[in-house]
Amino acid sequence: MSNVLVNFLPPVHLKPNAGYSAQYDDYHYQATDNVSENGEDNTAGHKPRILLMGLQRSGKSSIQRVVFNKMPPNDTLYLESTTKIQKEDVTRSFIDFQVWDFPGQINFFETAYDSQEIFGEVGALIFVIDAQDDYREAVNRLHYTVTSAYRVNPNITFEVLIHKVDGLSDDYKIDTQRDIQQRTADALADAQMEHIHLSYYLTSIYDHSIYEAFSKIIQKLIRELPTLENLLNVLCSNSGIDKAYLFDTLTKIYIATDSSPVDMQSYEICSDMIDVIIDIECIYGAQNSASNGTTPSISGTDEDRSALASSPTVSAGSGGANGFGGADSLQEQLMSEQSQSTEREAEASSLIKLTNGDVLYLREVNRLLVLICILRQESFEKHGLIDYNFQCFKEAITDVFEFSNQRNKSQLADDNNIVDNNSE
Amino acid sequence: MPANSRGPLQFATQTALNASRLSSDSTIGTNTTVTSQQDGNDNVTFYDSPTSPPYQAIKYQLPGALNALSSSPDGEYVVVAGREVLKVLHVTDQEATEYINLRTGSNLSLNYSSNDVKWGNNGTRNKIATAATNGAIIIWDLNKSGRKTDRVISEHSRAVNRVCFQPNNGYILLSASQDGNIKAWDLRDPKAAAKYSYEGKSESVRDVQFNPMHTHEFAAGFETGTIQKWDMRNPKLIYERKVSAHNGPCLTVDWHPDGRTLASGGRDRTIKVWDMNSDSRKPQYTIRTMASVSRIQWRPGYDNEIASCALLSDNGLHVWDVRRPNIAKYTFDEHSTTPTGFQWLSPDVVISCAKDRYFMRHEIVGAYKPIELLRKNGIGWNIHGDLVFSIDKSTGHQFVDEASTPGLTNQASRKSSRNRTTTGEELSLQYIPPQTCGIAHLPLFDYGTFSVFAQNYVINGENLKLACETNAKIAWSMQRFRAAQTWKIVQLLFADVEEERDSEQANGIDENYHNMSVTKALTANGNEVISESDSESSVSPVNEDEKDNEEASSSDSSESLESPIISQNQEIINDLFHYYTEQSDVQMCVTLYLIVQQYVHINADQLEDWFTSYIDLLRRFKLWTSATDIINACPIDNVRALNLNATTINITCNNCFKLVLGTAQGSWACDKCHKLLNPCSVCHQTVRGLYVWCQGCNHGGHLGHMRDWFSMKSQCPTGCGHTCTLDMSTQGSTE
């Protein structure tokens, strides 16, 4: 993976998203570029694309901003209505994806738009339905969109976000979902396309449900998922870890977890932990890395380290997640390796002990990924073992991504050859 | 207006109830604990062993955390599995001993760490299937010598969550995997490939269970929250029925022995019971538990009872009755972490395992019953002296009265006759424990008189004689003769002092008094708090000057002339106050003091006590206006400060009477009913700028529109029937 990342290091490649170099400044949002600049990036052709569609005012842009641009949910109130396709490359995240935010009021299946171009390479089509509104129109539109897109590209996975469910009661939520599911299923059955499979998620930008939905959507597009999951399983069983998440640092989406069921409490506390670490990194982290415009990695120079050492332990507020009790003591250990070369190893780690005896342990896997584990205090006594296992895990992950990257490249090369041959 | 007043009233009664509950606990609590103890004793005798010590669960500690267990068909042996454990235990009703350790040897691969384990039956009674965390399914043969591994199937790309043997044919094995596939294996077939593969077209499969009656059917629970029913004979390999059951992942399913009812549990903390034969998309029963439900199993022999354990944060193993979903019937809480797996060995024996490394065998006798820890009687009263109580009327020790709520079996039989379909279901849903409620009125406090006095008593002592006379009349009219007499006496005592002052400033005081009574009349109408300040500001500057004069003169005179009289009357007055304090009539104390405050001296601490408790009472009865009057009239700084700090004025919507949560600048519309606040009665638009309204009916609008309207009509433009204009000359004052 690090090889791939080096590609992004020169400022030239960062041009479209130059503003993101300071991405962890306080909520820095950037108007997304409407220009396609894929040409520069040779991997862009293979980026899975996520389409966000739905009626107007259903919350598409809000979702995009909250998940990918770290906008606070309350600020989405002031978003203007989208008028043209907003394309965004999520390059600095692990997930090499494009998110296309489609304005709700335009029909993209009219002849004026090249539906082949739009839907040809789509990995996932996310259709957003406003659950607080009358959704009959949205369901009709969903049916139309799904059937049309399916004709163009049958490989798309269709995901339906039943959105804005905050404020609805639990019973009402499930009723709404059931109703929408039934209506769509009936409509698809009438069109004799019942083999199209839709996944439904109840989401809201005001809690973690939107992140969980996106996690699941994106996991479907990650080919390495089974391998990652097995690696995590091995890590968990050999280190006595209760639950481990592999997070994309920027979006707080988990791209893999071990196979035990995800419970919301542990997910929320882990994703909150990322926020804590990022905040601390903003205050004490190295400036030079940010000026390189490269990394969200949490690392520091010698001065930073000494500054940290002299600073007392930072104690987090008691407002921890529900079942977990407040964070009792937060021991920040920002270990850093002196950077001689430009290719530094990301080595941030952090440890939070909770009052209920659980330990949250964060390790940075590479610049884009962090591993967060939840384990019992007793298991954490074998700290050295866990660290050793983590190193193995990290090497394995690096191997996996290098392998798949090479495979991608060779495929791309093959494709190009074919094209060349054809043209000749 | 009545709807408007409901909210705060309820609040007041609520607090009163809470307060009274605290006090009632001490008296009632003893009764209920006694009865519940009796219940417990009776139950012990029911099990016919009143003297034997309570049942202790059999515990057996294993070297590592446990994930699952399964018993052999005869129930004698139990296999337990975890990440570091795979052992067969021999379990009797006395003890548990290790029988075979399957995780032996040096080369311990991942195949030895298991997510789930199942013991075969019939042809495979000596075989065990485990689902490894790496996606492999391992079949173990206990009869094999040496390494017991019989076969390793690794066809799933992701971890296998659950395996399940067909109930009557142990050669058929189902596996549910994270990769979204359910695969069926025929263990007689030496080829490794799956016989069938069922793609749920959904996400990871969390659980799969064969139907015990129709063994070709099975149900699966998915991470999307759906459950699906499949028929193995269906060659199209598509599910027969799909229910979106849970909000969030569905973690477990279990078939009822009747073969048509399915229960499912999920991360949304519910257990839902579904009739898989009907087309209804609603669950028959819903049990809300405290935590995410990780496993469920119906209790054999008890058609309506189901056991569950949590995913985390709840260490109990609960047995529920679907007809009484709000409280568990039994709870086992011996484990120190959440149980990860359990199984009923017989209707009264359940075995369980947990991450705390313990395997346990419980008997239902050892479970405690949460219902017995509950207090079933309650009592409370409100500020008007009404006492409400509820008494448990359930006679026996039955958790659920079988006769009144038939539950699942009877329903099924009823439906099999196909006479009733849905109506029968709705009839018998929940068991409601019989209770009697009652309300008794205890005439401890005369609310009516209190509020009449609070609203009508004159509290301004400037014209003592008149004030006493008025108050005496009011008291007389309310048939409080003693109070009336008191006022008369006070009047007599201070009359001569007053007369001297009267002669000096007769006209001024007269005017003042008139003004005051008008204020009172207004407040009696129940208008807004503002009226107090209104009346003050409406007093003309001339009056204020006079007041100043009065005060100056009275203070002069009290020093020079009245000191002997005060000393004379002080004793009587003190007795008077003492009497009313004894009677705990703070209303009288406060009012009396306010009237005669110029002539008497009272300990400041006592005064503050009176005032605060009187104001407290007034507020409790929602007599806000009177309370504010008292606060303003009070000479003590501490009490006056009540009105000075943090005075919030809340506005209610004039349409739905909900609280309007606006900004500091106010708001234009109501959040609840989405209607404009105080629109113009004529044009129905929001009024920006001057808003004019009638003090009588509270309707109003634009200044111009109102002027136009009232130049022609005298009644309210909304048609409420109120005559807003007194006569043409007062039109100016309305504006």
Side-chain angles (χ1 to χ4, degrees):
Chain A
M1 196 63 199
S2 57
N3 288 340
V4 189
L5 284 168
V6 178
N7 288 341
F8 298 123
L9 285 179
V12 191
H13 289 272
L14 284 165
K15 196 177 71 185
N17 291 323
Y20 289 115
S21 56
Q23 56 200 285
Y24 290 117
D25 290 353
D26 282 345
Y27 311 122
H28 181 100
Y29 337 115
Q30 157 128 0
T32 43
D33 307 84
N34 297 316
V35 204
S36 166
E37 303 211 17
N38 295 342
E40 278 184 69
D41 199 339
N42 58 355
T43 60
H46 272 260
K47 276 185 187 178
R49 189 183 288 168
I50 294 180
L51 292 186
L52 270 176
M53 299 185 83
L55 291 188
Q56 51 182 322
R57 301 200 57 76
S58 56
K60 300 174 295 297
S61 300
S62 303
I63 291 175
Q64 191 207 351
R65 295 302 172 90
V66 168
V67 176
F68 294 99
N69 295 20
K70 293 187 88 64
M71 182 186 262
N74 288 324
D75 287 7
T76 55
L77 214 63
Y78 309 110
L79 282 179
E80 297 282 325
S81 155
T82 313
T83 48
K84 45 187 174 181
I85 300 180
Q86 291 202 339
K87 222 190 274 185
E88 190 190 351
D89 283 304
V90 195
T91 49
R92 70 232 174 267
S93 143
F94 161 79
I95 311 152
D96 272 353
F97 289 128
Q98 294 178 326
V99 178
W100 284 29
D101 186 4
F102 274 68
Q105 61 272 37
I106 306 176
N107 181 3
F108 289 97
F109 299 100
E110 285 170 4
T111 46
Y113 296 92
D114 184 359
S115 54
Q116 185 64 44
E117 201 239 347
I118 295 177
F119 297 101
E121 285 179 32
V122 167
L125 193 154
I126 301 177
F127 196 90
V128 186
I129 294 178
D130 183 351
Q132 293 188 2
D133 205 6
D134 180 22
Y135 47 74
R136 256 173 295 177
E137 173 61 24
V139 169
N140 291 341
R141 180 71 188 216
L142 166 66
H143 173 67
Y144 177 69
T145 310
V146 164
T147 45
S148 315
Y150 184 80
R151 258 178 234 123
V152 178
N153 179 1
N155 294 324
I156 303 181
T157 57
F158 295 100
E159 321 281 347
V160 182
L161 300 187
I162 300 167
H163 196 52
K164 305 189 195 175
V165 292
D166 47 293
L168 300 188
S169 73
D170 280 351
D171 283 342
Y172 194 74
K173 277 184 205 173
I174 197 89
D175 278 351
T176 311
Q177 181 185 357
R178 208 174 282 149
D179 193 37
I180 291 177
Q181 250 171 315
Q182 191 63 36
R183 284 162 186 266
T184 356
D186 290 350
L188 284 176
D190 288 348
Q192 297 195 322
M193 298 183 94
E194 61 266 59
H195 51 279
I196 301 181
H197 179 252
L198 305 176
S199 309
Y200 298 85
Y201 307 88
L202 293 163
T203 59
S204 158
I205 51 172
Y206 294 98
D207 56 26
H208 291 80
S209 57
I210 186 72
Y211 293 101
E212 208 200 6
F214 260 89
S215 300
K216 286 186 173 165
I217 290 168
I218 277 166
Q219 281 172 23
K220 286 186 191 170
L221 304 180
I222 295 176
R223 277 187 286 180
E224 300 88 357
L225 181 67
T227 322
L228 294 180
E229 188 179 271
N230 281 341
L231 282 173
L232 283 165
N233 278 339
V234 174
L235 179 74
C236 282
S237 55
N238 288 329
S239 317
I241 294 169
D242 284 342
K243 187 80 187 146
Y245 294 94
L246 193 59
F247 271 98
D248 176 42
T249 324
L250 180 86
T251 52
K252 294 196 289 180
I253 287 173
Y254 66 92
I255 62 160
T257 176
D258 63 316
S259 55
S260 65
V262 176
D263 64 284
M264 276 320 254
Q265 283 174 337
S266 70
Y267 172 65
E268 283 169 14
I269 204 167
C270 288
S271 91
D272 288 345
M273 185 179 185
I274 294 187
D275 280 339
V276 171
I277 304 304
I278 286 173
D279 288 348
I280 295 213
E281 196 255 345
C282 281
I283 303 171
Y284 297 109
Q287 293 306 308
N288 56 349
S289 63
S291 62
N292 276 348
T294 52
T295 79
S297 81
I298 307 155
S299 50
T301 61
D302 261 359
E303 294 94 327
D304 293 315
R305 188 158 46 172
S306 59
L308 260 184
S310 62
S311 70
T313 43
V314 190
S315 62
S318 58
N322 324 359
F324 278 87
D328 184 20
S329 70
L330 167 67
Q331 297 176 335
E332 277 303 321
Q333 303 172 319
L334 293 179
M335 305 182 290
S336 64
E337 277 187 10
Q338 186 56 13
S339 57
Q340 300 295 337
S341 61
T342 47
E343 266 185 86
R344 288 184 308 178
E345 287 294 298
E347 278 292 333
S349 76
S350 163
L351 181 63
I352 296 181
K353 288 179 179 164
L354 302 177
T355 43
N356 66 349
D358 281 352
V359 175
L360 288 179
Y361 188 43
L362 174 144
R363 289 295 299 256
E364 200 170 9
V365 177
N366 58 37
R367 293 199 174 85
L368 304 174
L369 293 178
V370 289
L371 176 83
I372 302 189
C373 315
I374 301 177
L375 60 165
R376 303 289 307 166
Q377 183 103 48
E378 305 91 79
S379 316
F380 197 71
E381 283 163 10
K382 299 178 282 183
H383 194 153
L385 174 74
I386 294 174
D387 278 347
Y388 177 77
N389 285 342
F390 172 76
Q391 283 304 331
C392 300
F393 172 75
K394 190 174 148 182
E395 281 163 23
I397 280 205
T398 316
D399 287 350
V400 167
F401 286 131
E402 254 173 38
F403 175 74
S404 62
N405 193 44
Q406 274 170 7
R407 193 178 54 185
N408 277 354
K409 270 185 185 162
S410 61
Q411 274 182 4
L412 192 69
D414 290 347
D415 289 351
N416 285 343
N417 286 339
I418 294 165
V419 174
D420 288 346
N421 292 337
N422 289 348
S423 59
E424 282 165 12
Chain B
M1 220 42 195
N4 187 9
S5 63
R6 186 148 295 152
L9 177 68
Q10 272 177 345
F11 177 71
T13 49
Q14 196 75 45
T15 48
L17 273 172
N18 286 342
S20 62
R21 188 163 294 149
L22 283 178
S23 60
S24 67
D25 275 0
S26 53
T27 55
I28 305 286
T30 49
N31 283 337
T32 44
T33 45
V34 166
T35 53
S36 65
Q37 270 172 3
Q38 282 168 350
D39 281 354
N41 284 337
D42 287 352
N43 272 331
V44 173
T45 52
F46 177 69
Y47 284 105
D48 205 21
S49 56
T51 50
S52 71
Y55 175 84
Q56 289 287 321
I58 293 169
K59 296 184 181 181
Y60 185 80
Q61 188 172 16
L62 291 142
L66 302 174
N67 280 337
L69 51 67
S70 178
S71 77
S72 61
D74 53 11
E76 269 186 54
Y77 297 94
V78 173
V79 56
V80 289
R83 276 167 176 167
E84 296 147 35
V85 186
L86 187 59
K87 281 185 182 180
V88 179
L89 306 177
H90 183 243
V91 181
T92 65
D93 52 2
Q94 300 298 323
E95 57 171 0
T97 46
E98 182 177 328
Y99 181 64
I100 308 173
N101 185 4
L102 294 172
R103 197 175 190 270
T104 51
S106 54
N107 186 16
L108 292 175
S109 68
L110 272 176
N111 290 350
Y112 289 85
S113 64
S114 321
N115 270 341
D116 193 32
V117 63
K118 283 282 154 58
W119 200 305
N121 54 29
N122 294 344
T124 54
R125 63 172 67 247
N126 292 319
K127 295 197 177 178
I128 291 168
T130 61
T133 45
N134 60 357
I137 301 162
I138 298 105
I139 312 292
W140 310 79
D141 192 342
L142 297 179
N143 288 343
K144 236 172 131 179
S145 56
R147 288 219 134 174
K148 311 277 188 195
T149 323
D150 189 29
R151 186 170 155 188
V152 176
I153 306 169
S154 43
E155 216 174 284
H156 282 291
S157 62
R158 293 171 67 183
V160 175
N161 288 321
R162 203 57 61 91
V163 286
C164 180
F165 283 101
Q166 196 168 12
N168 57 356
N169 178 3
Y171 289 110
I172 303 291
L173 179 74
L174 272 184
S175 64
S177 164
Q178 282 281 101
D179 61 15
N181 289 325
I182 306 161
K183 295 194 181 202
W185 315 87
D186 192 337
L187 300 182
R188 290 165 295 196
D189 189 359
K191 276 191 297 178
K195 195 176 171 194
Y196 302 111
S197 180
Y198 309 94
E199 201 181 335
K201 296 205 169 177
S202 199
E203 267 184 64
S204 310
V205 197
R206 278 287 163 198
D207 197 2
V208 65
Q209 290 288 338
F210 271 107
N211 188 331
M213 288 280 277
H214 316 285
T215 53
H216 46 84
E217 283 182 353
F218 64 89
F222 290 84
E223 199 138 89
T224 46
T226 53
I227 48 181
Q228 295 178 355
K229 187 178 93 172
W230 296 73
D231 193 325
M232 293 185 83
R233 301 169 300 185
N234 188 340
K236 278 199 291 185
L237 294 179
I238 191 158
Y239 53 83
E240 289 198 325
R241 188 161 147 63
K242 178 175 165 184
V243 185
S244 68
H246 292 276
N247 176 13
C250 168
L251 297 177
T252 172
V253 292
D254 192 46
W255 282 99
H256 192 271
D258 70 6
R260 61 178 288 159
T261 312
L262 182 78
S264 67
R267 202 180 67 185
D268 59 357
R269 303 179 181 186
T270 55
I271 301 168
K272 294 184 177 174
V273 179
W274 308 87
D275 183 350
M276 294 308 274
N277 288 11
S278 83
D279 281 334
S280 163
R281 280 188 266 150
K282 298 242 177 203
Q284 281 181 298
Y285 298 98
T286 302
I287 300 171
R288 293 178 201 283
T289 71
M290 289 156 277
S292 315
V293 182
S294 69
R295 295 222 181 187
I296 51 173
Q297 194 182 7
W298 292 94
R299 183 177 175 193
Y302 292 80
D303 281 325
N304 295 301
E305 293 182 22
I306 187 165
S308 80
C309 66
L311 185 62
L312 77 171
S313 76
D314 178 15
N315 298 345
L317 178 63
H318 304 285
V319 184
W320 308 85
D321 191 307
V322 291
R323 293 166 296 179
R324 198 169 178 181
N326 297 320
I327 186 166
K329 188 173 181 184
Y330 303 103
T331 296
F332 303 95
D333 60 349
E334 279 97 349
H335 282 291
S336 62
T337 61
T338 49
T340 47
F342 67 90
Q343 190 184 357
W344 290 98
L345 283 187
S346 73
D348 290 329
V349 180
V350 64
I351 49 174
S352 68
C353 64
K355 288 242 163 91
D356 63 359
R357 306 181 173 189
Y358 275 104
F359 162 82
M360 292 194 197
R361 177 184 184 276
H362 317 266
E363 283 188 26
I364 207 84
V365 194
Y368 76 86
K369 303 181 176 180
I371 190 103
E372 284 173 6
L373 306 176
L374 282 185
R375 181 169 297 141
K376 291 171 208 157
N377 302 333
I379 188 170
W381 59 59
N382 68 0
I383 48 171
H384 300 303
D386 298 326
L387 185 84
V388 65
F389 54 90
S390 70
I391 299 165
D392 180 29
K393 265 182 70 184
S394 54
T395 48
H397 318 291
Q398 278 180 328
F399 186 69
V400 171
D401 184 11
E402 304 280 341
S404 66
T405 39
L408 278 168
T409 28
N410 297 8
Q411 252 181 53
S413 62
R414 189 185 302 167
K415 250 178 278 160
S416 61
S417 65
R418 293 189 186 258
N419 285 334
R420 299 186 192 171
T421 50
T422 47
T423 48
E425 266 173 57
E426 282 152 15
L427 259 180
S428 58
L429 274 182
Q430 256 195 36
Y431 169 72
I432 298 160
Q435 266 186 335
T436 305
C437 294
I439 295 175
H441 182 71
L442 303 180
L444 297 173
F445 188 79
D446 191 348
Y447 162 72
T449 317
F450 178 84
S451 53
V452 168
F453 284 170
Q455 286 171 351
N456 295 321
Y457 266 164
V458 176
I459 55 167
N460 190 332
E462 273 161 16
N463 187 339
L464 197 143
K465 195 178 164 191
L466 248 177
C468 287
E469 203 171 308
T470 327
N471 288 352
K473 268 186 199 160
I474 294 164
W476 193 267
S477 69
M478 295 308 291
Q479 300 187 327
R480 289 297 179 88
F481 306 116
R482 190 170 200 121
Q485 207 61 37
T486 311
W487 287 116
K488 289 281 184 196
I489 294 168
V490 173
Q491 190 187 8
L492 281 175
L493 282 175
F494 295 96
D496 37 351
V497 191
E498 276 295 305
E499 255 160 36
E500 284 172 32
R501 278 178 44 188
D502 279 2
S503 58
E504 281 173 33
Q505 296 154 340
N507 29 359
I509 286 167
D510 252 317
E511 207 173 294
N512 235 350
Y513 178 69
H514 178 69
N515 198 348
M516 187 173 63
S517 64
V518 169
T519 315
K520 289 301 128 193
L522 262 179
T523 51
N525 272 346
N527 269 348
E528 301 305 310
V529 188
I530 316 157
S531 60
E532 171 66 15
S533 55
D534 274 0
S535 70
E536 257 171 35
S537 61
S538 71
V539 173
S540 62
V542 184
N543 264 349
E544 272 175 22
D545 285 348
E546 280 177 0
K547 256 195 215 163
D548 289 345
N549 290 340
E550 270 170 41
E551 274 164 24
S553 65
S554 67
S555 60
D556 283 347
S557 59
S558 64
E559 275 172 21
S560 57
L561 295 171
E562 286 152 19
S563 45
I565 306 171
I566 288 175
S567 57
Q568 257 180 29
N569 298 339
Q570 183 76 43
E571 254 178 61
I572 307 171
I573 287 290
N574 277 353
D575 284 349
L576 211 57
F577 279 127
H578 186 70
Y579 172 77
Y580 281 112
T581 318
E582 289 288 298
Q583 295 281 311
S584 70
D585 188 349
V586 282
Q587 184 173 40
M588 196 66 190
C589 289
V590 168
T591 325
L592 199 58
Y593 173 76
L594 285 175
I595 297 286
V596 299
Q597 57 179 323
Q598 293 166 25
Y599 310 109
V600 296
H601 177 75
I602 305 248
N603 184 3
D605 285 345
Q606 180 146 40
L607 265 187
E608 194 173 335
D609 269 359
W610 288 347
F611 271 96
T612 44
S613 50
Y614 185 42
I615 289 162
D616 196 38
L617 263 179
L618 287 173
R619 287 188 169 162
R620 205 176 276 188
F621 287 112
K622 294 197 354 127
L623 298 164
W624 315 109
T625 324
S626 310
T628 316
D629 285 343
I630 298 290
I631 292 173
N632 284 341
C634 179
I636 302 164
D637 288 341
N638 279 351
V639 179
R640 293 181 71 87
L642 285 176
N643 254 13
L644 298 178
N645 54 13
T647 306
T648 342
I649 297 175
N650 288 319
I651 304 164
T652 56
C653 169
N654 55 356
N655 190 46
C656 64
F657 298 109
K658 285 275 157 44
L659 194 66
V660 175
L661 304 164
T663 55
Q665 284 82 38
S667 65
W668 296 109
C670 172
D671 293 333
K672 298 281 180 337
C673 62
H674 303 289
K675 294 241 167 77
L676 286 173
L677 288 177
N678 290 319
C680 176
S681 308
V682 176
C683 66
H684 298 288
Q685 299 294 312
T686 308
V687 182
R688 293 164 195 269
L690 284 178
Y691 181 77
V692 184
W693 78 99
C694 168
Q695 298 280 339
C697 66
N698 285 333
H699 294 121
H702 290 105
L703 177 64
H705 288 148
M706 288 294 120
R707 183 174 281 156
D708 290 350
W709 178 269
F710 285 114
S711 65
M712 294 179 289
K713 307 256 170 57
S714 66
Q715 288 205 329
C716 179
T718 55
C720 69
H722 186 256
T723 312
C724 298
T725 47
L726 296 173
D727 54 66
M728 292 311 284
S729 64
T730 56
Q731 194 189 338
S733 69
T734 320
E735 288 167 9

